[in-house]
């Protein structure tokens, strides 16, 4: 079955031209559709089927933060869909020399069919989307990482067969990953426990937003500073680096604050026997996770990383296909 037949049956035409700035802007139906389309595109790629629904389309990719997975998956994804991707380093375009976001958005809207941006400020992404007349995709900000969580949801569903009622325990910094995981879990009817040290817990406004969404889907969002309590009966154990990009000066301070929040085999044993381990990568073995866990039988980190390609292709098709 081709992409177009699948899309016609699910009738997701309302996604065309929509921005993807945070998961909170999408409904459970819309996210479910994206995951179904990602599954289909993944199956097609495995079977050597190469449909090109975005032939002639161009994606601009603005990077203020360096990347491995985001750049390669988006660039490969748009190419596999028949389109073209243009890498735009902030050092190489005028936005890096003081041109306003508004001017940049309006100029690029005349050249491109969509923009993906990976940067620091969520406000900058929102302004770009407000001024652009084409879809804007949040490839990562300091506040959110929605594309990663789409891949996480696809991976969990592949491993567990469902998202409904699955319990995820996130151990570590209450950062952009924690924020987007909370929103994704809340929308999709999952249970999420975030265990972070005091002073490093998620933004309270985002916690409140997630809990409000959770009330609609019978999900459960909990915040604690007790990793052992968090992981009990969990289906998924998730962690991230202790010092994200731009926080390198805090490395030593954070190592002290997070010393009791390492994911190790003894902690993993408190979860369900078939629990999976996830990490958005890059990982620092021996810091946030021990090597025996991340390289062990419970780990699905490379399946998770590959799924960035498939969910982002689904996102590009949904937002860009005419």
């Amino acid at each position: 079955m081709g992409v177009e037949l699948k899309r016609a049956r699910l009738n997701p035409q309302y996604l065309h031209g929509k921005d993807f700035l945070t998961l909170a802007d999408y409904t459970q139906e819309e996210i479910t559709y994206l995951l179904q389309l990602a599954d289909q595109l993944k199956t097609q790629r495995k079977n050597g089927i190469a449909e090109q629904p975005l032939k002639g389309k161009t994606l601009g990719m603005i990077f203020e933060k360096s990347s491995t997975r985001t750049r390669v998956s988006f660039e490969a994804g748009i190419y596999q869909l028949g389109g073209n991707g243009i890498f735009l380093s902030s050092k190489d375009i005028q936005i890096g020399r003081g041109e306003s976001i508004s001017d940049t958005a309006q100029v690029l809207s005349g050249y491109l069919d969509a923009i993906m941006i990976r940067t620091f400020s969520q406000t900058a992404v929102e302004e770009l989307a407000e001024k652009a007349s084409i879809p804007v995709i949040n490839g990562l900000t300091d506040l959110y990482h929605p594309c990663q969580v789409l891949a996480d949801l696809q991976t969990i569903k592949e491993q567990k067969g469902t998202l409904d009622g699955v319990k995820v325990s996130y151990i570590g910094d209450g950062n952009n990953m924690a924020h987007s995981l909370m929103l994704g879990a809340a929308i999709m009817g999952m249970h999420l426990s975030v265990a972070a040290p005091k002073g490093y817990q998620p933004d309270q406004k985002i916690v409140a937003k997630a809990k409000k969404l959770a009330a609609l889907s019978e999900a459960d969002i909990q915040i604690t500073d007790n990793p052992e309590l968090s992981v009990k009966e969990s289906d998924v154990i998730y962690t991230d680096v202790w010092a994200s990009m731009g926080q390198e000066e805090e490395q030593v301070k954070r190592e002290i604050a997070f010393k009791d929040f390492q994911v190790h085999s003894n902690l993993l044993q408190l979860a369900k026997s078939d629990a999976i381990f996830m990490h958005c990568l890059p990982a620092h073995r021996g810091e946030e996770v021990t090597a025996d866990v991340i390289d062990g039988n419970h780990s699905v980190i490379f399946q998770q990383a590959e799924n960035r390609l498939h969910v982002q292709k689904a996102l590009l098709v949904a937002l860009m296909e005419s």
Side-chain angles (χ1 to χ4, degrees), residues 1-20:
M1 183 180 292
V3 172
E4 294 178 355
L5 290 175
K6 184 81 168 182
R7 295 187 74 233
R9 182 170 68 83
L10 293 169
N11 192 28
Q13 296 300 325
Y14 47 80
L15 283 182
H16 177 70
K18 186 172 182 176
D19 298 317
F20 186 70

Side-chain angles (χ1 to χ4, degrees), residues 96-112:
R97 299 179 61 247
E99 182 172 51
S100 71
I101 293 174
S102 175
D103 287 355
T104 299
Q106 293 177 77
V107 168
L108 293 182
S109 293
Y111 301 149
L112 305 169

Side-chain angles (χ1 to χ4, degrees), residues 59-101:
L59 172 69
M61 302 178 295
I62 301 174
F63 283 87
E64 288 192 288
K65 283 190 174 186
S66 59
S67 168
T68 299
R69 280 151 291 279
T70 299
R71 178 175 178 180
V72 176
S73 56
F74 268 109
E75 198 161 341
I78 187 68
Y79 173 78
Q80 291 169 17
L81 293 168
N84 298 293
I86 301 176
F87 173 76
L88 303 168
S89 167
S90 61
K91 298 177 182 178
D92 299 330
I93 60 176
Q94 296 299 329
I95 197 171
R97 299 179 61 247
E99 182 172 51
S100 71
I101 293 174

Side-chain angles (χ1 to χ4, degrees), residues 20 74 137-139 145-151 308 311-312 315:
F20 186 70
F74 268 109
I137 298 169
N138 179 1
H145 199 353
C147 289
Q148 177 64 56
V149 172
L150 278 184
R308 287 289 301 277
V311 295
Q312 288 162 190
L315 192 60

Side-chain angles (χ1 to χ4, degrees), residues 158-177:
E158 288 173 340
Q159 287 287 324
K160 300 300 177 182
T162 185
L163 296 176
D164 188 37
V166 170
K167 182 184 176 184
V168 180
S169 175
Y170 174 89
I171 310 296
D173 190 19
N175 58 12
N176 51 6
M177 275 309 316

Side-chain angles (χ1 to χ4, degrees), residues 1 11 14 26 41 46 69 97 100 109 125 127 154 156 202 209 229 232 254 259 268 270 282 305 315:
M1 183 180 292
N11 192 28
Y14 47 80
Y26 277 58
L41 291 168
K46 300 297 184 185
R69 280 151 291 279
R97 299 179 61 247
S100 71
S109 293
V125 173
E127 183 180 353
Q154 184 183 22
I156 293 169
K209 182 186 294 186
L229 180 64
K232 285 185 177 179
R254 284 172 171 265
K259 63 183 178 61
L268 188 64
L270 298 177
L315 192 60

